[in-house]
């Protein structure tokens, strides 16, 4: 997974540490020095800060004390609860935090090998498609000998403060972490795909069936080592961090640390009861201020659960910021949920394995329409199709497809004044099965994302077998930026960018000819097909051939009147030759021929629809016709019109 880890700013941890050890000096990071500029970009508002190494703050510093847990983290004098909540989720997943904190045993302070200490640490974050290794020194900002920002329960534990410093270095300074998106941090810690869920808009509090389905999704993400966060939306800036009567805090990111179905009852009888409660556990990054409603730490409801079950769940009666809620109450009080899925691409896993395609692209503004790649969303019809276009195939009768569009984060270094992220999104359109060149007229839209100025936009959708084009765009035209497109399917989708507008001219064009006509053939449906089964049904498929090229549909099982809905696009040199539409019945050994149609297209009639009789191959007249087929044909003598 880390074979392509990139050294941030070309700082290589191993070589820098060896240099310090050989010279007997402690590492001092020239890229993130102990000055106010590393703390603030709007000016110092907390007073004089002293940068100190852990050995100056305690006698026995450690990376971890008694392991790592969500309880290690407490938010300091910075509005980065989003980052701390993500860290709390990370701490509960050993397989994940060991990727963010590599070589943790080697990085730990070793009393027996004091000469190995060089005041240097490194951490890894997933940024725009790459794992980035960030090197820091261990000089931390303090006031009155206390850490200013993120700190642990144990005064001699420093992993959270050091991870925060490395993350602040990526953003340019600590203050750049003041206000952010938990989803971004979750993705940075995992390389996963973050899905936002609007609990209010989807009305999960009212709809029990939908709520149960959501709980199953949340439970699956949790059980497969995904990270989860939640929050209560604040209506205004004055409402931020307002504490509700129930103990929850508005505008505040909470880490979800456990999800489970809890048995009611005591002893063996509990195992025979059908009733289970859907429950979720959260943690406040402040390390205090908890939910005080049903199933809170000291509520009477816990008497309904056996002692062994409570111990298994880790129920404690203390104001440590962590608490349980019924999922129903959770949906009533919280407004936003973030599910960060770890998309499994390993064939060695027992879980579903996804095929991943990763595309890098750019929105580039240009005066020439054929070179412009910044056309804006579909509202801007004149320029929409000037955006980058990516084609992919769905090869199953129906497949779940996950699509994530990520832009290069403009908020990542606010001290440089790069401003807010662009509002981005994408459309998915179904196209011809043999589409090779860019679209120049819109086709059937089958799905699309919302448009939002977040770093990532995610969509999960079901698509039927066929070929599709993703069009990633900014909301407004003329805006420039880089993006990363990730497509996950059950079987390889062979995603690639469409770069050519029409067939290229080559040195053979003069002898072999160049297309004079472009024709789209859309076989809509067929009726009255006669099969060989007892009920007369068949397993039909259609083949369209034109000017030496063929397009074949999927097989429609046990049908007499199939809805083919198949398109083919043909760049025709021999404009007078007919278009052949043949229908076959799929058999194990040899497919049987059901009938054919031979059509011509008139370039002067751009919208033709035919309902025509199928014939045998000889096209002879017959009183017993094998059925009819409905076909649409669109032709154009301007290649880039289709």
């Amino acid at each position: 997974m880390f074979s392509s880890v990139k050294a941030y700013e070309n700082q290589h941890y191993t070589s820098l540490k060896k240099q310090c050890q050989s010279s007997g000096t402690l590492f001092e990071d020239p890229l993130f020095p102990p000055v106010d500029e590393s703390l603030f970009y709007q000016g110092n508002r907390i007073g004089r800060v002293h940068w100190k190494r852990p050995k100056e703050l305690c006698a026995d510093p450690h990376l971890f004390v008694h392991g790592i847990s969500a309880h290690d983290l407490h938010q300091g004098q910075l509005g980065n609860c989003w980052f701390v909540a993500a860290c709390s989720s990370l701490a509960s997943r050993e397989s994940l935090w060991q990727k963010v904190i590599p070589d943790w045993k080697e990085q730990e302070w070793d009393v027996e090998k004091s000469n190995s200490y060089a005041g240097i640490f490194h951490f890894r974050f997933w940024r725009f498609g790459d794992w980035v290794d960030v090197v820091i020194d261990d000089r931390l900002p303090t006031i009155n000998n206390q850490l200013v920002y993120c700190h642990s329960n144990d005064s001699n534990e420093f992993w959270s403060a050091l991870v925060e410093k490395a993350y602040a270095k990526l953003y340019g300074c600590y203050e750049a972490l003041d206000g952010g998106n938990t989803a971004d941090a979750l993705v940075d810690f995992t390389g996963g795909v973050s899905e936002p869920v609007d609990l209010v808009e989807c009305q999960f509090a009212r709809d029990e069936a939908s709520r149960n389905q959501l709980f199953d999704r949340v439970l699956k993400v949790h059980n497969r080592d995904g990270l989860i966060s939640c929050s209560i939306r604040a209506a205004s800036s004055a409402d931020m961090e307002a504490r509700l009567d129930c103990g929850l805090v508005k505008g505040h990111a909470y880490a979800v640390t456990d999800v489970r179905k809890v048995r009611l009852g005591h002893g063996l009888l509990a195992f025979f009861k059908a009733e289970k409660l859907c429950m979720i556990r959260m943690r406040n990054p402040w390390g205090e201020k908890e939910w005080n409603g049903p199933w809170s730490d000291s509520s009477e409801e816990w008497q309904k659960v056996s002692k062994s079950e409570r111990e298994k769940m880790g129920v404690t009666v203390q104001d440590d910021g962590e608490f349980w809620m019924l999922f129903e109450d959770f949906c009533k009080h919280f407004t936003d949920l973030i599910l960060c899925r770890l998309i499994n691409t390993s064939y060695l896993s027992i879980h579903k394995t996804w095929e991943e395609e990763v595309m890098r692209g750019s929105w580039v503004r240009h005066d020439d329409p054929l070179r412009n790649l910044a056309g804006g969303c579909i509202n801007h019809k004149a320029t929409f199709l000037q955006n980058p276009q990516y084609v992919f195939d769905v090869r199953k009768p129906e497949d779940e497809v996950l699509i994530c569009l990520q832009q290069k984060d403009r908020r990542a270094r606010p001290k440089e004044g790069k401003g807010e992220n662009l509002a981005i999104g994408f459309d998915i359109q179904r196209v011809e099965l043999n589409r090779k060149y860019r679209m120049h007229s819109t086709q059937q839209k089958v799905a699309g994302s919302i448009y939002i100025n977040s770093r990532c936009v995610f969509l999960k959708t079901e698509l039927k077998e066929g070929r599709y084009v993703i069009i990633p765009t900014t909301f407004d035209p003329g805006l420039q930026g880089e993006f990363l497109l990730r497509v996950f399917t059950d079987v390889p989708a062979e995603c690639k960018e469409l770069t050519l507008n029409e067939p290229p001219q080559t040195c053979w064009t003069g002898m072999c000819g160049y297309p004079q006509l472009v024709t789209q053939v859309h076989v809509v449906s067929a009726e009255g097909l006669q099969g060989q089964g007892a009920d007369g049904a068949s397993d039909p498929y259609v083949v369209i051939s034109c000017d030496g090229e063929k397009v074949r549909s999927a097989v429609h099982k046990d049908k007499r009147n199939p809805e083919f809905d198949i398109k083919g696009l043909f760049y025709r040199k021999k404009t007078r030759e007919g278009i052949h539409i043949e229908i076959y019945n799929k058999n194990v050994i040899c497919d049987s021929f059901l009938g054919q149609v031979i059509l011509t297209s008139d370039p002067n009639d751009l919208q033709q629809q035919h309902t025509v009789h199928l014939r045998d191959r000889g096209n002879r007249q017959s009183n017993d016709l094998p059925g009819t087929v409905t076909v649409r044909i669109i032709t154009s003598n301007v290649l880039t019109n289709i």
Side-chain angles (χ1 to χ4, degrees), residues 22-76:
S22 62
S23 64
T25 59
L26 298 181
F27 179 61
E28 296 182 356
D29 186 3
L31 301 184
F32 204 62
V35 295
D36 277 3
E37 285 71 20
S38 297
L39 298 173
F40 317 104
Y41 67 90
Q42 293 181 329
N44 187 335
R45 296 195 299 272
I46 64 173
R48 187 175 180 186
V49 173
H50 297 275
W51 295 74
K52 294 189 177 183
R53 297 186 188 270
K55 283 193 172 183
E56 299 175 83
L57 297 173
C58 64
D60 185 28
H62 287 281
L63 206 57
F64 306 123
V65 174
H66 306 304
I68 180 174
S69 79
H71 296 280
D72 295 340
L73 293 115
H74 292 275
Q75 184 181 341

Side-chain angles (χ1 to χ4, degrees), residues 619-636:
N619 205 27
R620 295 188 297 272
Q621 297 290 334
S622 171
N623 293 326
D624 187 20
L625 299 173
T628 59
V629 62
T630 302
V631 185
R632 293 193 187 102
I633 295 180
I634 301 176
T635 61
S636 172

Side-chain angles (χ1 to χ4, degrees), residues 611-624:
T611 300
V612 289
H613 296 298
L614 292 169
R615 309 282 184 178
D616 62 17
R617 278 199 174 88
N619 205 27
R620 295 188 297 272
Q621 297 290 334
S622 171
N623 293 326
D624 187 20

Side-chain angles (χ1 to χ4, degrees), residues 33 36 71 88 96 118 125 170 229 233 246 251 262 302 336 382 388 511 525 538 583:
D36 277 3
H71 296 280
S88 295
L96 297 180
F125 307 103
L170 271 180
S229 178
R233 209 173 300 146
C246 63
V262 180
W302 285 111
D336 295 277
M511 291 185 292
S525 60
S538 60
I583 298 181

Side-chain angles (χ1 to χ4, degrees), residues 72-91:
D72 295 340
L73 293 115
H74 292 275
Q75 184 181 341
Q77 298 182 38
L78 194 61
N80 65 340
C81 61
W82 59 280
F83 167 78
V84 180
C87 280
S88 295
S89 296
L90 178 72

Side-chain angles (χ1 to χ4, degrees), residues 192-421:
V193 171
S194 195
E195 175 189 5
V197 180
D198 190 323
L199 300 173
V200 178
E201 182 178 333
C202 298
Q203 298 185 341
F204 291 115
R206 297 180 183 177
D207 189 337
E208 183 179 1
S210 296
R211 184 171 65 248
N212 290 338
Q213 290 178 357
L214 175 64
F215 181 81
D216 289 339
R217 282 168 57 195
V218 174
L219 184 61
K220 180 186 281 189
V221 171
H222 175 76
N223 288 341
R224 296 191 178 178
D225 286 344
L227 302 184
I228 307 170
S229 178
C230 55
S231 61
I232 302 172
R233 209 173 300 146
S236 64
S237 57
D239 217 17
M240 288 291 288
E241 299 192 345
R243 187 175 182 181
L244 304 175
D245 292 339
C246 63
L248 300 175
V249 181
K250 282 190 173 184
H252 196 57
Y254 288 79
V256 173
T257 56
D258 202 356
V259 183
R260 65 175 66 202
K261 292 185 177 181
V262 180
R263 294 180 184 274
L264 293 181
H266 298 265
L268 290 175
L269 290 176
F271 289 93
F272 296 99
K273 284 189 175 182
E275 187 178 4
K276 289 183 179 179
L277 296 180
C278 296
M279 300 195 72
I280 185 168
R281 186 178 71 190
M282 284 148 287
R283 185 174 186 276
N284 185 340
W286 288 345
E288 55 183 16
K289 294 185 174 59
E290 300 181 4
W291 159 254
N292 56 32
W295 298 95
S296 55
D297 284 0
S298 56
S299 67
E300 295 180 356
E301 283 85 0
W302 285 111
Q303 299 305 314
K304 301 176 184 179
V305 179
S306 67
K307 182 179 178 182
S308 61
E309 186 80 358
R310 292 199 302 269
E311 289 175 350
K312 191 194 311 182
M313 296 173 65
V315 177
T316 58
V317 182
Q318 54 183 323
D319 190 19
D320 58 0
E322 194 166 50
F323 55 89
W324 286 91
M325 292 179 73
L326 283 178
F327 194 68
E328 182 179 355
D329 287 334
F330 170 83
C331 291
K332 287 178 182 176
H333 289 86
F334 283 85
T335 61
D336 295 277
L337 177 69
I338 297 170
L339 303 175
C340 183
R341 287 182 172 84
L342 302 186
I343 308 298
N344 177 42
T345 57
S346 170
Y347 291 104
L348 302 177
S349 172
I350 61 173
H351 297 305
K352 176 181 173 71
T353 296
W354 293 85
E355 298 286 346
E356 180 184 19
E357 303 275 359
V358 180
M359 303 282 118
R360 294 179 182 272
S362 301
W363 294 293
V364 180
R365 183 174 60 248
H366 200 282
D367 293 336
D368 182 354
L370 293 180
R371 297 171 68 184
N372 183 55
L373 293 174
C377 70
I378 200 168
N379 296 345
H380 307 278
K381 292 181 169 46
T383 58
F384 170 64
L385 290 174
Q386 294 173 11
N387 287 291
Q389 300 179 14
Y390 296 87
V391 66
F392 72 98
D393 293 321
V394 172
R395 302 183 183 279
K396 295 172 62 177
E398 193 168 59
D399 196 6
E400 184 178 55
V401 180
L402 309 181
I403 300 171
C404 179
L405 175 66
Q406 178 178 342
Q407 63 181 307
K408 203 153 194 178
D409 198 351
R410 294 180 175 223
R411 289 191 69 256
R413 300 181 71 86
K415 65 183 295 184
E416 296 176 6
K418 292 187 177 179
E420 291 297 316
N421 287 325

